[in-house]
Amino acid sequence: MSSTSTLSLPLQRNARKKGFPSSPVTKPFKTNLTFSFSLRLTKAIQVKSSSTAKFNEVVVEEEIDKIRRLQNGSDVRGVAVEGEKGRTVDLTPPAVEAIAESFGEWVKNRLESEGGVPVEVVRVSLGRDPRISGASLSTAVFSGLARAGCLAFDMGLATTPACFMSTLLPPFAYEASIMMTASHLPYTRNGLKFFTRKGGLTSPEVEAICDKAARKYANRLTKVSTTLSIPPTKVDFMSTYAKHLRDIIKERVNHPLHYDTPLKGFQIIVNAGNGSGGFFTWDVLDKLGADTFGSLNLNPDGMFPNHIPNPEDKTAMALTRAAVLENNADLGIVFDTDVDRSGVVDSSGNPINGDKLIALMAAIVLREHPGSTIVTDARTSMALTQFIANRGGHHCLYRVGYRNVIDKGVQLNKDDIEAHLMMETSGHGALKENHFLDDGAYMVVKIIIEMVRMKLAGSYEGIGSLIEDLEEPSESVELRMNIISEPKHAKAKGAEAIEAFRNYIEEGKLEGWELDSCGDCWVSEGCLVDLNDTPAAIDAYMYRAKVSDKEHGQHGWIHLRQSIHNPNIAVNIQSSVPGGCQSMARVLREKFLFASGMEKSLDITQIDKYAKSGQVG
């Protein structure tokens, strides 16, 4: 059996100066599975036999693909409960058990390879957000870890950053950790994020684990025991993690009058979205002396009844803004479900997320580390680049995907280029000083510390004043093109379309469009591609083109990206002139999609409507 895979292809070293990856290649994926017992599979299997073979070769293509499709970049995500129109449950207990077992084996093998000696005890912690599927899937995780010979520790309701920190902070310091969450996705979804003491796993590592899990899943009865022979040890790590955050605030503020309560006199409102972030209110802010009256949606509720727990969600930000203004608060905080992302609202009620949040964090970091490189994804504005440059920093534009952005920062530091902040426009933010961990709570801690320091220095302007000179683009829009294909072929089809887009630009078929690249990765101008000796693996194909015309010069950009979560292509367009986005959409529609014939394999309804009317919907 063969299967097309483009997720772990490195960019080629011998690329041209405007170097971009070559077309996808097909890699063989082979498996020979022998069964000595009957299979309980929900769908028919395809059996290939040969009279000369000693046994029948059984290929369970659909069941294997089902597990492999659960991989979403560096995470695993799927539908865990019924209730989503057009989607069937695929993140089942048997699937989760096989993935957890494969992760446990991967950790053990990695430790033995690094240490050169057998490892007898591997301890793995599990945390989860409040989703209604958490309890049953947790049992599957513990069952899988037990199969792998690991000792499991149940952290209960936790956050993603806390799971990673449980591998570092004593007396816990587990060898690995798993967080069960689907971030901001609906209550029907769930997923797994994986950590070792070195940080989150990469896309190729998760791909290898899912490949191994697919074989396990297809080669056993699809049933998970609800009785664990060795139950997990329940631990309270969140208290330790909260104390860790409190200590950082106390030490860095170093308040001259009340060291232990440096937030006394500040009112801070938290909107936890009924996710895992409520602890930040009562275990961090309250204990540091802050007034948190007016906080919203603190109690965990896996149905998320009030709004999507997401700092990008307009309802979440609007409710938080209203609470800040009503209570005359100093700061509002919005967490996503598992608290690896956050956004804030300043004292004047101005929402700070996306480019504004990156600018705020950049302003803080560049005060502490002058000349640092700020790594972001390629959907940030030209104005943000100028904002960073005005403060003496360098802006490195990189591939979309929080893991891509963080790993780029890690690599730059290894290459002796100081990169202290890595941020994606979605609100993922990681700092070098915090183990390169995308921790929404830690990011808020940095903002709170700066807010208190400003007041102690005699400033009452609030943190919003730090980004007053950030210009906003005239227009910005995101559109989607669904890929018309069977799910197992969608990624290959998407990569084909993205590569065609690149070729059209390189061949000069789109006048005034030029691939955005800095050639050999000089970070002063960004680095959308890798041309070093160890190029990062590609988890999804994407390109950004800068767009110019005779009247306005360079006035915007367009970014096409293959989604790693869904079978579609995201199209982000931004312009500094009115009507610029619609103009770029027209060129994309008429001179690329129709001219190349791509409209036959892509649903371009949104592009079509926007190009004609300038309206999204």
Side-chain angles (χ1 to χ4, degrees):
M1 181 186 77
S2 66
S3 174
T4 300
S5 175
T6 61
L7 296 185
S8 58
L9 303 179
L11 291 162
Q12 302 302 312
R13 179 72 183 111
N14 61 353
R16 300 186 298 277
K17 181 168 179 62
K18 284 235 179 247
F20 291 82
S22 57
S23 298
V25 241
T26 299
K27 297 194 307 181
F29 174 71
K30 298 180 179 179
T31 180
N32 293 303
L33 303 174
T34 305
F35 295 86
S36 58
F37 50 81
S38 62
L39 290 167
R40 294 181 193 170
L41 297 174
T42 56
K43 298 200 177 178
I45 61 174
Q46 178 183 355
V47 180
K48 298 179 180 179
S49 60
S50 170
S51 58
T52 61
K54 293 182 180 179
F55 53 84
N56 287 341
E57 185 181 61
V58 181
V59 181
V60 194
E61 291 189 45
E62 189 169 352
E63 298 304 321
I64 287 176
D65 283 343
K66 185 185 298 182
I67 303 301
R68 296 181 73 227
R69 287 199 299 269
L70 291 172
Q71 183 205 356
N72 285 274
S74 57
D75 303 345
V76 166
R77 288 187 186 178
V79 179
V81 294
E82 298 285 355
E84 198 169 336
K85 186 177 180 180
R87 296 291 297 265
T88 57
V89 172
D90 52 9
L91 192 70
T92 60
V96 169
E97 182 192 51
I99 293 169
E101 180 183 358
S102 298
F103 173 64
E105 292 173 348
W106 182 89
V107 173
K108 187 174 183 180
N109 292 338
R110 179 61 61 92
L111 291 172
E112 290 179 342
S113 175
E114 293 173 349
V117 295
V119 175
E120 293 185 5
V121 179
V122 175
R123 301 166 306 147
V124 183
S125 63
L126 173 71
R128 59 186 174 94
D129 71 20
R131 292 170 189 275
I132 59 175
S133 57
S136 62
L137 294 185
S138 291
T139 299
V141 169
F142 295 135
S143 177
L145 292 175
R147 280 179 176 266
C150 299
L151 293 180
F153 294 82
D154 184 4
M155 293 169 53
L157 186 70
T159 68
T160 293
C163 283
F164 169 69
M165 293 303 294
S166 74
T167 69
L168 300 181
L169 293 181
F172 304 90
Y174 304 120
E175 280 73 37
S177 184
I178 300 173
M179 176 65 183
M180 185 179 294
T181 181
S183 188
H184 63 281
L185 295 179
Y187 76 92
T188 53
R189 309 284 184 97
N190 216 327
L192 302 171
K193 296 182 178 182
F194 307 96
F195 298 96
T196 68
R197 291 171 184 167
K198 294 183 178 180
L201 270 61
T202 64
S203 292
E205 288 169 338
V206 176
E207 182 180 17
I209 288 169
C210 286
D211 279 348
K212 191 173 184 180
R215 297 179 178 90
K216 293 180 185 296
Y217 177 81
N219 199 20
R220 66 169 56 137
L221 297 175
T222 58
K223 181 179 179 182
V224 176
S225 173
T226 56
T227 304
L228 298 172
S229 56
I230 304 176
T233 302
K234 292 187 180 296
V235 294
D236 177 17
F237 178 77
M238 289 304 293
S239 295
T240 298
Y241 174 64
K243 181 180 182 299
H244 168 70
L245 296 179
R246 293 198 307 270
D247 289 344
I248 290 171
I249 294 175
K250 288 193 289 187
E251 290 167 9
R252 296 186 187 176
V253 169
N254 193 22
H255 202 287
L257 300 178
H258 32 89
Y259 178 87
D260 288 322
T261 54
L263 302 186
K264 186 177 180 181
F266 288 89
Q267 184 170 7
I268 302 174
I269 286 173
V270 174
N271 183 351
N274 301 113
S276 299
F279 84 98
F280 195 80
T281 309
W282 49 74
D283 246 5
V284 178
L285 299 178
D286 287 348
K287 291 184 178 180
L288 293 176
D291 176 2
T292 58
F293 179 80
S295 290
L296 309 166
N297 310 320
L298 301 182
N299 294 325
D301 186 332
M303 296 297 291
F304 311 122
N306 296 296
H307 59 73
I308 298 171
N310 184 357
E312 293 183 286
D313 182 65
K314 292 181 179 179
T315 301
M317 294 303 285
L319 290 173
T320 308
R321 177 181 186 274
V324 167
L325 294 176
E326 181 181 346
N327 292 279
N328 196 28
D330 298 283
L331 185 70
I333 300 166
V334 180
F335 288 127
D336 78 336
T337 316
D338 56 326
V339 197
D340 59 356
R341 296 187 297 142
S342 56
V344 296
V345 175
D346 70 11
S347 57
S348 298
N350 299 310
I352 301 178
N353 53 12
D355 277 12
K356 291 182 179 179
L357 184 62
I358 298 175
L360 175 60
M361 290 301 299
I364 294 171
V365 167
L366 288 171
R367 284 184 175 185
E368 300 172 345
H369 305 283
S372 175
T373 291
I374 310 299
V375 186
T376 74
D377 66 270
R379 296 171 298 183
T380 55
S381 68
M382 296 181 290
L384 178 65
T385 301
Q386 188 61 51
F387 179 91
I388 292 170
N390 290 346
R391 283 156 179 75
H394 304 288
H395 188 191
C396 171
L397 290 161
Y398 197 57
R399 294 202 291 268
V400 174
Y402 74 93
R403 194 72 248 168
N404 292 331
V405 172
I406 293 172
D407 288 346
K408 184 64 178 180
V410 172
Q411 185 61 52
L412 289 177
N413 280 284
K414 287 180 180 178
D415 292 341
D416 296 322
I417 298 172
E418 281 199 10
H420 286 273
L421 175 65
M422 301 103 240
M423 286 198 70
E424 196 184 36
T425 50
S426 63
H428 281 285
L431 292 114
K432 179 181 179 181
E433 69 187 51
N434 190 41
H435 314 284
F436 297 99
L437 172 65
D438 52 322
D439 185 343
Y442 190 89
M443 187 161 57
V444 167
V445 161
K446 292 283 291 184
I447 294 170
I448 289 173
I449 291 169
E450 186 67 22
M451 179 180 70
V452 178
R453 284 175 173 173
M454 289 173 67
K455 194 167 185 179
L456 286 173
S459 172
Y460 290 87
E461 292 182 320
I463 52 97
S465 64
L466 297 178
I467 58 171
E468 283 180 342
D469 59 328
L470 175 68
E471 295 182 10
E472 295 190 50
S474 176
E475 296 179 345
S476 184
V477 65
E478 178 173 294
L479 306 167
R480 296 273 173 172
M481 298 186 292
N482 290 326
I483 299 169
I484 304 171
S485 168
E486 292 181 44
K488 63 182 179 181
H489 299 310
K491 286 187 177 179
K493 288 281 188 182
E496 180 184 342
I498 300 291
E499 288 300 305
F501 174 72
R502 178 199 71 160
N503 292 335
Y504 257 62
I505 296 174
E506 285 192 325
E507 292 167 8
K509 294 179 179 179
L510 304 177
E511 185 180 355
W513 291 34
E514 183 181 355
L515 290 176
D516 226 339
S517 167
C518 63
D520 292 326
C521 196
W522 295 103
V523 296
S524 60
E525 297 180 18
C527 44
L528 297 180
V529 297
D530 286 312
L531 295 180
N532 53 26
D533 292 329
T534 55
I538 300 171
D539 59 355
Y541 281 81
M542 61 192 78
Y543 295 110
R544 170 167 152 165
K546 52 188 176 185
V547 179
S548 307
D549 61 29
K550 293 180 181 178
E551 182 180 357
H552 304 101
Q554 184 180 340
H555 62 83
W557 53 260
I558 181 167
H559 184 275
L560 264 65
R561 171 176 55 91
Q562 176 188 20
S563 173
I564 61 173
H565 298 304
N566 297 294
N568 62 45
I569 292 174
V571 181
N572 289 89
I573 313 176
Q574 197 171 103
S575 178
S576 59
V577 300
C581 287
Q582 187 180 7
S583 174
M584 284 183 267
R586 284 199 196 102
V587 173
L588 181 71
R589 173 184 178 272
E590 296 164 11
K591 297 188 177 181
F592 169 61
L593 293 172
F594 281 102
S596 66
M598 279 295 165
E599 90 284 357
K600 296 175 183 177
S601 56
L602 299 171
D603 178 356
I604 65 169
T605 302
Q606 279 196 351
I607 300 286
D608 199 48
K609 182 174 181 178
Y610 185 76
K612 292 176 180 177
S613 67
Q615 301 296 316
V616 182

